[in-house]
């Protein structure tokens, strides 16, 4: 009888469902791309956009003003007075502003894309010098009455 009871316990233990190993659940979390500052934060006085955009416009404007002076003989002030010069300035300002703001608002920064000699600081300094160059170009033309590049 003892062997019968013992064998029934053994048989019952063998038939009993074994405890399944604990399964780990897979948790997937969506990682969103880091967002940049809001539109108004980017354009704030101390925001990342104003000096960079003004510097880019000044760099393009300085080189363009000298190129047009050399090609046509008209000075910076006469270029600014003409309707064609104002239209080109408006188109360039809008295109460069949008091209500068879109990556910034998506979370991209100029510092992250800096490589070699083309750093974010170099761009800021070149923009600052171009702004001063435009002012000096306009002041020279105003004081002398003649274009800076005399053809």
């Amino acid at each position: 009888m003892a062997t019968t009871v013992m064998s029934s316990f053994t048989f019952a233990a063998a038939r009993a469902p074994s405890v399944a190993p604990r399964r780990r659940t897979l948790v997937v979390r969506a990682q969103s791309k880091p967002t940049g500052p809001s539109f108004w934060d980017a354009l704030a006085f101390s925001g990342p956009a104003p000096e960079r955009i003004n510097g880019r416009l000044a760099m393009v404007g300085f080189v363009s003003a000298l190129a047009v002076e050399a090609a046509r003989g008209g000075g910076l002030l006469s270029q600014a007075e003409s309707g064609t010069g104002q239209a080109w300035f408006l188109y360039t300002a809008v295109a460069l502003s949008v091209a500068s703001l879109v990556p910034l608002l998506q979370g991209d920064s100029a510092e992250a894309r800096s490589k070699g000699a083309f750093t974010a600081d170099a761009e800021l300094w070149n923009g600052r010098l171009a702004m001063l160059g435009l002012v000096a170009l306009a002041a020279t033309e105003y004081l002398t009455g003649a274009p800076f590049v005399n053809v």
Side-chain angles (χ1 to χ4, degrees):
M1 173 104 151
T3 57
T4 308
V5 173
M6 185 68 101
S7 64
S8 66
F9 280 121
T10 308
F11 182 74
R15 272 187 0 171
S18 62
V19 178
R22 199 168 185 189
R23 292 187 180 181
R24 293 185 179 186
T25 57
L26 180 63
V27 178
V28 178
R29 292 190 176 103
Q31 294 182 354
S32 63
K33 188 175 181 181
T35 59
S38 72
F39 181 76
W40 296 113
D41 288 340
L43 291 178
F45 185 74
S46 62
E51 185 177 7
R52 192 163 309 277
I53 291 172
N54 287 331
R56 288 175 181 172
L57 288 171
M59 287 185 273
V60 170
F62 184 73
V63 171
S64 299
L66 288 178
V68 170
E69 274 189 27
R72 296 187 182 162
L76 175 67
L77 298 178
S78 66
Q79 293 174 37
E81 291 172 355
S82 73
T84 307
Q86 291 174 356
W88 276 107
F89 170 75
L90 181 66
Y91 296 143
T92 305
V94 169
L96 281 176
S97 298
V98 170
S100 298
L101 278 174
V102 168
L104 182 67
L105 295 176
Q106 291 177 344
D108 225 3
S109 68
E111 289 81 11
R113 293 177 301 192
S114 297
K115 293 180 183 173
F118 300 103
T119 64
D121 287 337
E123 182 185 16
L124 287 177
W125 278 105
N126 288 335
R128 291 169 184 161
L129 292 173
M131 288 181 226
L132 290 174
L134 273 175
V135 170
L137 193 63
T140 301
E141 183 179 335
Y142 180 75
L143 293 174
T144 62
F148 180 73
V149 179
N150 293 320
V151 179

